[in-house]
Amino acid sequence: MRGLLSLTEDGAACLQMSHWPLLFDLASPIPSSVDESWVEISVGSENVALHPYQT
């Protein structure tokens, strides 16, 4: 997955992929130096869980 990574005030992370934001539940904090950076994230499928979310 590639996109623009943004950090929220409460320590969460959001990856903006085109029009779709992906919210991340983090095991450890991400350094503030990567806020608003373009990133690529690779995760094994056995480590991914999806949860429904309605806006």
Side-chain angles (χ1 to χ4, degrees):
M1 298 180 289
R2 294 179 185 162
L4 183 62
L5 185 71
S6 300
L7 304 177
T8 64
E9 291 179 11
D10 61 354
C14 177
L15 183 67
Q16 189 69 37
M17 296 175 50
S18 186
H19 299 291
W20 305 103
L22 270 62
L23 301 174
F24 287 91
D25 184 13
L26 304 171
S28 60
I30 294 178
S32 61
S33 60
V34 298
D35 189 24
E36 299 297 323
S37 297
W38 289 96
V39 298
E40 178 175 310
I41 296 175
S42 299
V43 179
S45 60
E46 66 279 357
N47 296 317
V48 175
L50 299 176
H51 301 279
Y53 181 81
Q54 181 133 6
T55 59

